[in-house]
Amino acid sequence: MGGPFHKLRHPRRCYVVCTIPRSGSNLLTDGLRATRQAGMPKQFFLPKSEPRYGAELGLDPDADYPGYVRGIVNAKTTRNEVFGLKLMSWYLDDFLARLRATRAFGDTATDDLTMLRNAFPRLRFVHIVRRHRLRQALSTARALQTGLWKVQEGKTALREPQFDAELIEQSLHEAERQEMIWHSFFRRIGIAPFQVEYEELCRDYESTIRGVLDFLKISLPRDVRVGPPVTIRQSDELSRMWEERFIAERPSAYSPAHG
């Protein structure tokens, strides 16, 4: 990762992509990771993923969680000392509780922001949101049925999705609940995150990625371009048909004025 003079010139910087399912976070983090200048943002602290990352790096999150956290940061930092991670709101409180329980990054009197920055130096916050909430719910309902949470070449569905108005409405309400967790968290720690809209990311991928890099104060070498996304958008004719049918069948469940 470089010697002491490198680290003096490039002090470690961290950022977290705050998201909920089907907000476009894979599209965003794939683009950031592809620059090779913005860390390797993944869900390193998703409970079911920790054993896999621990095995990869020779770390034991159950026996030594502070060692796991520090080991992930050291191993997944790019040469310019940038580390990125992704968090979903549904396990945010559990993650904070696990960090606090170690007493390695603060004690019971330490506020959440200080504790996070003790674990992740100079931590900054990026919040990706999806303006059109119904389409987000449609995407969630499809992913729950197909098992495809990240659509890429070579990946196949577990089964064909079927229109399910109840599942779509549940997904709509759950997305609202999960977004409220983030809004409450940002208010509590006194942070205004850098906001990325999924729709804008799709419309102008390179400019949006560069906007995030500018916020993080990451400069790209002149010869580096932001390549096309590797994640495939799920939205298609089926999504359009489901959207029209849901609005027709359950008009009171969704207000277009609210996305």
Side-chain angles (χ1 to χ4, degrees):
M1 233 13 104
F5 292 109
H6 172 80
K7 292 187 178 182
L8 283 172
R9 186 179 177 187
H10 302 282
R12 182 158 293 168
R13 295 168 291 158
C14 302
Y15 69 93
V16 54
V17 174
C18 306
T19 186
I20 71 171
R22 316 315 293 165
S23 292
S25 61
N26 285 325
L27 193 63
L28 174 61
T29 56
D30 283 351
L32 292 169
R33 188 166 56 253
T35 68
R36 301 188 179 184
Q37 302 292 314
M40 311 167 198
K42 290 277 192 179
Q43 291 192 78
F44 302 116
F45 305 103
L46 176 67
K48 72 175 184 179
S49 297
E50 288 179 348
R52 174 167 57 86
Y53 287 116
E56 174 192 331
L57 300 171
L59 304 169
D60 188 340
D62 293 324
D64 181 9
Y65 201 60
Y68 174 78
V69 173
R70 294 182 180 117
I72 286 289
V73 174
N74 287 332
K76 301 299 182 178
T77 294
T78 39
R79 289 177 60 85
N80 58 342
E81 293 296 321
V82 174
F83 172 79
L85 70 147
K86 181 167 76 170
L87 288 176
M88 296 276 182
S89 63
W90 65 265
Y91 62 87
L92 172 65
D93 287 343
D94 178 68
F95 175 58
L96 294 173
R98 293 184 72 188
L99 280 182
R100 193 174 300 282
T102 69
R103 303 184 74 85
F105 308 107
D107 55 27
T108 55
T110 306
D111 64 85
D112 287 342
L113 181 58
T114 299
M115 180 178 67
L116 283 167
R117 284 182 169 160
N118 286 340
F120 308 104
R122 300 172 181 83
L123 184 66
R124 307 194 79 181
F125 297 81
V126 177
H127 184 205
I128 182 165
V129 297
R130 191 161 180 169
R131 188 168 60 244
H132 201 297
R133 295 297 175 82
L134 177 54
R135 291 174 187 167
Q136 181 176 35
L138 294 170
S139 180
T140 299
R142 286 183 67 172
L144 286 168
Q145 294 184 63
T146 63
L148 289 177
W149 291 93
K150 184 174 182 179
V151 183
Q152 290 180 298
E153 291 288 346
K155 286 194 173 185
T156 57
L158 297 177
R159 64 188 178 95
E160 288 300 310
Q162 302 296 320
F163 179 83
D164 185 335
E166 185 64 28
L167 179 60
I168 294 168
E169 186 167 347
Q170 289 174 4
S171 299
L172 192 60
H173 295 320
E174 179 60 17
E176 293 170 350
R177 186 190 71 82
Q178 291 190 32
E179 280 293 2
M180 282 305 302
I181 293 173
W182 281 125
H183 290 301
S184 297
F185 172 70
F186 296 139
R187 282 197 302 270
R188 187 171 78 244
I189 66 173
I191 284 290
F194 182 81
Q195 185 164 295
V196 176
E197 285 192 349
Y198 167 77
E199 289 81 2
E200 186 63 20
L201 181 63
C202 293
R203 190 190 69 80
D204 194 342
Y205 187 69
E206 180 169 356
S207 292
T208 305
I209 296 292
R210 288 186 178 276
V212 176
L213 295 174
D214 288 345
F215 166 72
L216 298 173
K217 298 182 172 17
I218 297 172
S219 299
L220 290 184
R222 291 183 178 180
D223 59 339
V224 172
R225 300 284 299 173
V226 176
V230 297
T231 302
I232 301 170
R233 291 180 65 189
Q234 189 183 69
S235 179
D236 55 17
E237 182 63 18
L238 181 63
S239 297
R240 188 190 64 77
M241 291 171 59
W242 281 16
E243 181 178 347
E244 291 179 354
R245 182 174 173 183
F246 183 82
I247 293 172
E249 292 185 11
R250 301 203 175 189
S252 63
Y254 170 69
S255 172
H258 295 94

